[in-house]
Each structure stands twice: as structure tokens, then as C-alpha cells.
Amino acid sequence: MGSRRFSHFTTGLLVIFVALALVVTASASTTNVIFTFAGGADGEYADTDLVVDSAGAIYGTTVRGGLHGGGTVFQLAPSATGWHHTVLYNFTGGADGGEPYKGVTLDSQGNLYGTTVTGGGGVCEGGCGVAFKLTRSGSNWFHSVIHTFSGRNDGSGPGSGLTIDRLGNLYGMTPTGGAFGVGVIYRLRPHPDGTWGLRVLHPFTGGADGGGGSAGRLLLHGGYLFGVATTGGAHGKGVAFRLSHTPDGKWHYLTLYPFKGQPDAGFPYGGLTFDKSGNLYGTTYYDGANNLGCVYELSPNSNGTWIEKVLYSFKGGQDGSRSIANVVFDAAGNLYGTTSEGGAGFGTIFKLAPGANGTWTETVAYRFQGSPDGAFAYNPMVVDSAGNIYGATVHGRPQRRRHHLQIHPVTYFIAAKRKKNARDASPGRFSDRPQTS
């Protein structure tokens, strides 16, 4: 399960993507279609994190489709008449990479960075993947490969997004490859001549330090990198970790918490989220009280250790189950996230509201219906500067054509209109001290 890719590809699938807005209020949740992907050249299977720029444009990736079938990077720009979709790049699956999972990262100049799990070169069948850059020049975009993974010590199949610091260094993880075959944490540093250098900061061993970097991107906070490994650890259920840069130029890996499994959390696939008090939050796909996944909190002690607490265990059925993504805060301090299963059978959006004495109350904010609003939310949601919340699903409504049942994948976008404050999950509110060597 640790290296499982949550793909539901079907041979001959006709794919249509739909974008939705869901307005979450105190009394009700409603949806409105704001954009429909036609499939094919527009892209297919949006297993993507989303990023929003200062103008409100949304960027993401599709794993398949595009002109060459190798996936796309896309932009959705708001306008007076709706949302305008543009494919910024079509992957060929060759040296430029193929199957870009988990979206792109935006830098201060408006350039985009991401990874693909196939293509490039190396020892892997179909290629070990690449890290790429899309450089913006006016209205044009230019693609360049900044690293081709070999499948050896540098890892293979990078399926998580990239994290950028103030110096423009990029950080990421791979689920496979590396010195021990179970993934690495790496840094990509830009050089003055335009080339990039990769340094492995930590090779997972599959033992106490965990194995298989998760699909959730690394979190840069206070000069440290925080993340989770999906498997391994003292109990074989994955770990939460912290990576720090020492004065002598080395990197120190510290396991913050080894997940213990049922009724504790187990197998985290999403990333981590900080609150304003320095606590970390995440979800797991398995375990919890009902072995259907859970939401957990990690709190730091003054002695440097961390305490873990399961805030909610999913029950399955209408409640939802199997969360893959990280959570986000709204302005009132509520947590929102998604489950990949349950609800009406297509996954849910859930809400956890904080109460007295550290308690949390869970409600289902929305159950995906498959038609017409999409199904299976594999990815985290993101909050823009206005407090709107956006997300994506990978599938949608079933439809019969030519006597074959075909599934129409769907991308949704959620907008929760709220007043933004310092507790929103916005990267800009953290002191992200850049890593310098």
C-alpha cells in the first residue's frame, strides 16, 4: 500500500472534467458548475493539488490527456463571463516527462515547478520521472527539465509536489528508489548558469525513519521541513518527521511520531498543516478506531517530543472514509478536508469544529454525488487570499455510450466565502527561513 498510486484508469475511458464551486454556509452547502473540461486535448484525470496566484488564477495538472496523452499543466483564469481554461504545457511522456501528479508550485515571478512520475530516463520502465519548470514570459510559457531522476540514489517516480523556499530552492520526496529502494527527500538548487543541482537530504531506510515519501508535499515552517512517510516506522504504520539544516552543512532527520495503527492513526498519504499555536494536523488512509482512516493532531512538548491525538475516526458509509489529503483551516478555526470514499459512494468534504477542552465535532459538509459534481477527492484543498477554498476530484458521473459504461472524471472547485484571518492555512503566515546550503 505504501507505493500505491490511487489511479482508476480504465482502458478506452471517455473522460470529461467538470469544475464546481461549493459555497459553505452555516446552514447549507450548494454547488455550481463553473467550468467543464472536455477531456482529450484538455487533459484527463486531475489528480492534482491546486495553487492560486494573486490574480485569482488557478493552476494544476492532469495526469493524462493533452495533445500527446502524457498529461498537462493547466490554468483556469476568472473572467466576467466565467472561467477561461488554457493548457500551458502538453507532456509527451518522453524526455520532458509524463504523468504529472499533484500539481505545480508557484514562485514569486509567476513561474511554475512540478514533477512527473514517468518519462525522462533512468533505469525505470517508461522512465523514472523528472522535475520541471515552466517559465512565464508575458503570455507564453516555456518548459525545461531541471532534473531527470535515474532511479538510483536520487530516487524515482516523484509523485508529490515541490516546496520552494525564499532562495528558490525546491524540496520534494520520492516514494521509491534511493539507496535503500524506499524513496528519498531531496533538494534542487538553482545555479547561476541556469542549471540545477540535486542533493539527497535523507534516504528512507524503511526502518524506524519510515519508507516511501507521501504524496503530500513537504511543509516549510520556522526553518524546518516537516512531512510524513507512508510506511515503516517503529510500528510499520508510517511516521511524521522533521528535517533540519545544521551549522556544519548537514541535514538532521528526526522522527516526530511513529504511528501505531488501530485505534491510533496509520498510513498517512497526505501532508501536514500547522495551526497558529504550532500544532500539526493530518489524515491517514487506514487505522483509527474503525480502520477507515482518521484525522490526527501532533502537539510539541517543551522537551522536544511530540504528542499525538486522534481527533476523529471515520465511520464509513455516509460519514466517509479513507482520507488521502491534508486539511485546511477556515477563518473561524474549523478544519476542512476530504475523504476518497464513502458518503454517497463518491467521497466527502468533512468539517471538524473545535470545542471546549480540546474536543472536535465532525460533520459532513458535502457528499459528492458523482453526477454532476464529481467523485473521489484524492487531493487537498487550498485557500486563496479572499478565503475561498478550492479542490479537485479525479472522477465523475457514469454514462453509457455504445453499450459500455464509461466513467466521466470530474474536477471540482470549492469556494467557501469567509473572512480571512491569521489562522487560514496560508504559507505566507509562517516564518519560512530559507535553507542556504
Side-chain angles (χ1 to χ4, degrees):
M1 188 68 191
S3 61
R4 175 182 173 185
R5 225 180 273 161
F6 291 92
S7 303
H8 287 172
F9 292 145
T10 303
T11 302
L13 203 64
L14 174 64
V15 182
I16 297 178
F17 290 88
V18 179
L20 302 164
L22 179 132
V23 180
V24 182
T25 68
S27 58
S29 299
T30 60
T31 62
N32 298 288
V33 174
I34 61 172
F35 186 80
T36 301
F37 287 78
D42 278 356
E44 304 174 5
Y45 198 84
D47 190 348
T48 179
D49 298 7
L50 300 173
V51 64
V52 185
D53 69 15
S54 59
I58 299 167
Y59 301 86
T61 57
T62 65
V63 177
R64 284 191 168 183
L67 295 179
H68 313 291
T72 71
V73 178
F74 67 84
Q75 178 197 69
L76 282 171
S79 70
T81 58
W83 291 80
H84 177 69
H85 170 268
T86 304
V87 173
L88 305 183
Y89 187 74
N90 294 279
F91 291 93
T92 70
D96 63 333
E99 299 187 21
Y101 280 79
K102 301 305 178 185
V104 288
T105 298
L106 188 68
D107 72 10
S108 58
Q109 287 77 46
N111 304 307
L112 300 172
Y113 303 85
T115 61
T116 71
V117 301
T118 61
V123 300
C124 314
E125 182 179 358
C128 296
V130 307
F132 65 87
K133 177 181 181 180
L134 286 181
T135 304
R136 184 202 293 264
S137 177
S139 60
N140 297 317
W141 295 81
F142 301 94
H143 171 278
S144 59
V145 172
I146 60 177
H147 182 75
T148 298
F149 289 88
S150 69
R152 296 186 172 89
N153 285 346
D154 61 340
S156 60
S160 61
L162 295 169
T163 300
I164 191 167
D165 71 15
R166 291 178 180 175
L167 292 182
N169 299 309
L170 299 168
Y171 304 87
M173 293 186 287
T174 72
T176 53
F180 304 97
V182 289
V184 303
I185 304 170
Y186 63 88
R187 183 196 65 196
L188 285 163
R189 165 179 279 183
H191 295 155
D193 63 357
T195 62
W196 292 71
L198 183 140
R199 178 179 178 181
V200 173
L201 307 184
H202 180 77
F204 292 108
T205 69
D209 64 332
S214 80
R217 63 187 65 201
L218 293 163
L219 180 61
L220 181 59
H221 176 65
Y224 299 101
L225 289 168
F226 294 84
V228 293
T230 302
T231 61
H235 310 286
K237 302 287 186 174
V239 303
F241 64 81
R242 185 185 74 194
L243 200 62
S244 58
H245 190 215
T246 60
D248 60 359
K250 296 180 180 179
W251 292 79
H252 177 65
Y253 180 96
L254 175 68
T255 298
L256 302 182
Y257 185 77
F259 296 101
K260 300 176 181 178
Q262 193 175 11
D264 188 29
F267 299 104
Y269 278 87
L272 296 168
T273 301
F274 267 105
D275 69 10
K276 64 181 180 181
S277 299
N279 303 305
L280 285 164
Y281 299 83
T283 66
T284 64
Y285 187 80
Y286 286 129
D287 295 308
N290 306 306
N291 199 29
L292 296 172
C294 67
V295 183
Y296 63 87
E297 175 189 67
L298 288 166
S299 301
N301 280 325
S302 58
N303 62 1
T305 62
W306 291 70
I307 299 174
E308 188 259 10
K309 177 183 178 182
V310 172
L311 304 183
Y312 185 74
S313 294
F314 295 105
K315 300 175 182 178
Q318 290 293 303
D319 181 53
S321 61
R322 314 290 189 200
S323 182
I324 299 173
N326 56 280
V327 292
V328 296
F329 280 104
D330 71 6
N334 302 304
L335 279 171
Y336 284 87
T338 60
T339 67
S340 65
E341 300 178 20
F346 305 102
T348 70
I349 300 168
F350 64 85
K351 172 185 174 182
L352 281 173
N357 302 317
T359 60
W360 294 77
T361 301
E362 187 264 1
T363 55
V364 176
Y366 189 75
R367 295 180 176 92
F368 293 103
Q369 303 300 308
S371 173
D373 64 334
F376 310 124
Y378 289 177
N379 304 286
M381 298 183 288
V382 64
V383 184
D384 72 7
S385 60
N388 302 308
I389 303 175
Y390 299 89
T393 67
V394 297
H395 285 303
R397 66 188 184 198
Q399 178 175 320
R400 291 191 177 274
R401 291 194 175 203
R402 298 180 182 177
H403 310 292
H404 295 286
L405 182 65
Q406 298 174 316
I407 304 299
H408 291 226
V410 173
T411 301
Y412 74 91
F413 297 100
I414 303 172
K417 294 289 187 181
R418 298 182 183 276
K419 182 179 179 182
K420 186 178 176 67
N421 72 6
R423 193 165 184 176
D424 284 270
S426 169
R429 67 186 179 86
F430 296 133
S431 175
D432 295 342
R433 188 174 71 238
Q435 308 300 322
T436 57
S437 77

